[in-house]
Amino acid sequence: MACMGESMNNENILKFINNHLSEKRYNHCISVADEAVKLAKKYNADEEKAYITGLLHDICKDNTKIQMLQIIEKSDIMLSDVEKNVEKLLHAIAGAEIAQKELDIKDNDILNAIRYHTTGRAGMSALEKVIYIADFISADRDYEGVDELRKAASVSMEEVMVQAIIFVIKDRLESKVAIHPDALMAYNEAVINWRLNNV
Ligand SMILES: [Fe+2]
Ligand SMILES: [Fe+2]
């Protein structure tokens, strides 16, 4: 596959993630990248960007909370109370910063797809949806319910978006974890779209 810029090709990205992630996480990122290419083909997103974003989406997931906060502090991002409270959200925000600053990724669609891969948001691009869903259904995933989501992904992007967001929000409610407003906005948009075609 072609590279995004002269300084950063896929081989360098693979080296970078290999240096920053555990073996398990590295394999997860390869699986997400492979799944993202398939979904991009099916749902008209850019396959090359899907591959790169899949590789990079969890680039900060093995960082400590302090490291992630330091990365975010150096940017001009102000964390909300929910983001400060839910550690899981930090790796997506810090990851987009690292992709931009250390890997010189300039493409906003890629950076947004990394940043919003955990929460989703309203107005997601085709690439953002592809990464959000690839992260749920990649070959390495084996949680209860993954087969239903895989089936939904084979039906339509609308169908799988609704089901995936419901899956996450239910999990947050059951675990008594704060729900990011972007996730609720993503849910409302997805369910409104879904109802237009299904009710
Ligand atoms: Fe993630
Ligand atoms: Fe992931």
Side-chain angles (χ1 to χ4, degrees), residues 57-58 61 91 117-118 135:
H57 80 286
D58 273 344
K61 190 92 187 231
H91 78 282
H117 84 265
T118 308
D135 200 17

Side-chain angles (χ1 to χ4, degrees), residues 66-148:
I66 289 171
Q67 287 170 328
M68 291 188 286
L69 289 172
Q70 282 170 344
I71 292 163
I72 294 165
E73 232 167 62
K74 283 185 203 149
S75 72
D76 53 5
I77 295 166
M78 292 288 291
L79 292 176
S80 68
D81 286 345
V82 174
E83 288 160 349
K84 281 181 204 160
N85 187 260
V86 184
E87 190 175 336
K88 194 176 157 56
L89 299 175
L90 297 178
H91 78 282
I93 301 169
E97 284 301 306
I98 290 298
Q100 185 177 27
K101 293 195 178 126
E102 291 197 25
L103 290 163
D104 203 28
I105 303 273
K106 295 184 176 75
D107 187 294
N108 276 327
D109 204 13
I110 294 179
L111 297 172
N112 285 332
I114 298 172
R115 165 133 195 201
Y116 295 102
H117 84 265
T118 308
T119 55
R121 62 168 173 166
M124 291 167 87
S125 70
L127 180 69
E128 286 176 52
K129 289 178 185 172
V130 157
I131 296 301
Y132 184 82
I133 298 303
D135 200 17
F136 274 94
I137 64 167
S138 56
D140 60 314
R141 297 293 202 191
D142 62 357
Y143 57 88
E144 211 185 311
V146 69
D147 287 337
E148 281 78 6

Side-chain angles (χ1 to χ4, degrees), residues 149-160:
L149 286 175
R150 288 191 178 123
K151 211 182 281 170
S154 72
V155 175
S156 72
M157 187 50 98
E158 269 162 22
E159 186 63 43
V160 71

